[in-house]
Amino acid sequence: MDLNHTYRSFVLAVARNPQVRHLVQSRGQNLARRFVAGDTLEEALQALEALERHRVHAILDLLGEMVTSEEAACRFKEEIVRLIQAVGSRPYPRYVSLKLTQLGLDLSPDLAFSLMTEILTEAQKADCFVRIDMEDSPRIEATLEVYHRLRQAGFTHTGVVLQSYLKRSEQDLERLLPFKTPVRIVKGAYREPPQVAFQERRLIDAQYLLLCKKALEGGLYTAIATHDPALIEEMKRWTAERAIGRDRFEFQMLYGVRREEQKKLAAEGYTVRAYVPYGTDWYPYFSRRIAERPENLLFVVRSLIWG
Ligand SMILES: Cc1cc2nc3c(=O)[nH]c(=O)nc-3n(C[C@H](O)[C@H](O)[C@H](O)COP(=O)(O)OP(=O)(O)OC[C@H]3O[C@@H](n4cnc5c(N)ncnc54)[C@H](O)[C@@H]3O)c2cc1C
């Protein structure tokens, strides 16, 4: 068991404690600003403008997940449509991310499918790509099934995410290859048991490279979403060696993480996108970012104690 994994599991378990949640939510809004563009769509659009000045494009994400009522899912759908219309009126590449549990996946996959068709219809009009983020392992099969139904219904401007910590991901990639699915490859941000997920960094990184390379060899447009310098360097080297065009892949990172590297890659001529979350429901997203790096936890604890 590696230390990274132990640390992440610990932080994600503590973050579920209602008292911790209350403390961080009531006092941590300024802290969240490190990773979240703001509460409102207007603030997210300002972040987009600032990134575009450095030729980094934005992936806008309205924060929200695991809704427990149909009304809440429909409200999120309305807000996401408003987001798509807002990015549609800008002269930049249009790209949003969302989560199916935000659209009621846990209540009914049919509900999530139906709300997605409304979102994708609007996105088609706005020439906007819609990425379906991947959540924790119990939701993967349902997410992929909804995705396949959307493709069968003729929607092509949408893609999914594969997590390299999951043992199943190589098989999932095989299933996605025939659809020429645009994929994003990530390491994975949730707390997963050893039955389903590799716990050692070495194995997670090895599967990361394997998935990226296999996706590219299979002709899938691939978003290499990591901040890990070794993985980024290897993918730069490997794609150059194989003469894989820079129009067949892109690098993605998170808002507020390794900003200089984002600008540097864009200046080198790669397509780079930063994932820009906004909204008031920031706590789960923020917890995952803290769980990624011990220094981030020290920063939170210091800020909560000394303000
Ligand atoms: C665009 C994008 C979309 C994503 N979508 C999903 C998704 O749909 N589902 C999912 O499970 N996960 C998603 N993730 C999160 C991902 O799974 C990882 O948890 C996250 O990217 C950290 O892993 P890493 O690949 O950067 O490597 P790591 O080994 O975790 O980090 C490498 C280096 O990057 C820096 N770094 C990484 N994270 C942080 C941080 N929080 N704060 C400060 N520095 C940091 C550090 O310097 C670290 O040493 C997404 C990530 C990105 C970039």
Side-chain angles (χ1 to χ4, degrees):
M1 174 107 21
D2 113 352
L3 270 179
N4 280 324
H5 170 79
T6 313
Y7 167 73
R8 185 173 62 210
S9 294
F10 169 74
V11 173
L12 292 177
V14 171
R16 284 201 189 155
N17 179 300
Q19 281 160 322
V20 172
R21 185 176 183 130
H22 177 73
L23 176 71
V24 177
Q25 274 182 321
S26 57
R27 297 189 34 205
Q29 197 176 20
N30 288 339
L31 290 175
R33 285 294 152 96
R34 178 163 169 204
F35 299 110
V36 175
D39 287 349
T40 64
L41 172 56
E42 287 63 37
E43 286 167 297
L45 292 170
Q46 281 165 19
L48 173 150
E49 296 279 349
L51 288 165
E52 285 290 348
R53 285 198 278 280
H54 300 284
R55 285 192 282 156
V56 174
H57 307 306
I59 303 167
L60 292 189
D61 172 68
L62 170 62
L63 291 166
E65 51 197 85
M66 306 204 182
V67 303
T68 51
S69 75
E70 188 169 338
E71 294 70 38
C74 291
R75 270 200 306 277
F76 270 124
K77 186 267 297 175
E78 292 298 329
E79 283 295 302
I80 293 168
V81 165
R82 201 165 77 83
L83 161 63
I84 289 169
Q85 289 165 345
V87 293
S89 66
R90 308 262 157 162
Y92 305 119
R94 291 113 191 218
Y95 196 129
V96 304
S97 260
L98 50 74
K99 293 182 172 48
L100 289 186
T101 64
Q102 189 173 29
L103 301 173
L105 184 74
D106 289 352
L107 302 168
S108 140
D110 285 344
L111 172 65
F113 171 76
S114 146
L115 296 178
M116 271 304 286
T117 62
E118 291 184 51
I119 288 172
L120 291 176
T121 303
E122 199 60 38
Q124 220 154 19
K125 286 190 233 157
D127 189 22
C128 176
F129 183 80
V130 180
R131 175 73 62 186
I132 301 173
D133 287 346
M134 196 54 91
E135 302 179 67
D136 52 353
S137 58
R139 295 175 171 91
I140 288 174
E141 204 51 47
T143 302
L144 292 176
E145 273 169 25
V146 170
Y147 178 76
H148 281 120
R149 284 173 68 190
L150 292 166
R151 291 299 299 258
Q152 277 155 3
F155 294 106
T156 52
H157 53 302
T158 177
V160 286
V161 178
L162 293 175
Q163 296 150 321
S164 73
Y165 63 11
L166 288 188
K167 295 177 180 171
R168 61 176 286 166
S169 288
E170 193 181 352
Q171 277 176 349
D172 289 334
L173 175 61
E174 304 278 352
R175 284 162 64 198
L176 294 168
L177 285 173
F179 292 91
K180 289 281 171 265
T181 305
V183 285
R184 172 197 289 156
I185 311 292
V186 301
K187 289 192 187 181
Y190 295 82
R191 188 170 169 230
E192 298 288 0
Q195 291 79 358
V196 299
F198 299 119
Q199 315 288 325
E200 274 178 69
R201 188 187 174 110
R202 182 177 58 84
L203 299 176
I204 297 168
D205 290 359
Q207 176 151 264
Y208 190 95
L209 292 173
L210 180 130
L211 292 172
C212 287
K213 293 175 182 177
K214 225 173 160 166
L216 283 163
E217 280 169 344
L220 307 190
Y221 185 83
T222 305
I224 302 165
T226 181
H227 313 92
D228 188 326
L231 299 184
I232 293 170
E233 277 315 307
E234 171 56 11
M235 288 313 299
K236 282 165 77 173
R237 188 200 66 74
W238 185 84
T239 48
E241 184 185 271
R242 311 249 154 164
I244 291 176
R246 291 183 182 186
D247 57 343
R248 291 185 45 207
F249 66 95
E250 64 186 50
F251 290 106
Q252 295 189 347
M253 296 193 197
L254 300 174
Y255 177 81
V257 180
R258 300 201 71 206
R259 291 170 207 248
E260 290 310 312
E261 183 63 18
Q262 297 178 17
K263 294 181 204 167
K264 186 168 155 274
L265 284 168
E268 286 171 17
Y270 293 100
T271 301
V272 181
R273 269 181 245 274
Y275 186 99
V276 180
Y278 72 96
T280 50
D281 195 1
W282 47 263
Y283 183 78
Y285 179 86
F286 181 69
S287 308
R288 291 195 287 276
R289 300 295 76 82
I290 300 310
E292 274 154 6
R293 203 162 170 249
E295 289 91 325
N296 292 352
L297 181 62
L298 285 177
F299 161 73
V300 172
V301 171
R302 267 203 305 266
S303 306
L304 290 177
I305 295 175
W306 288 293

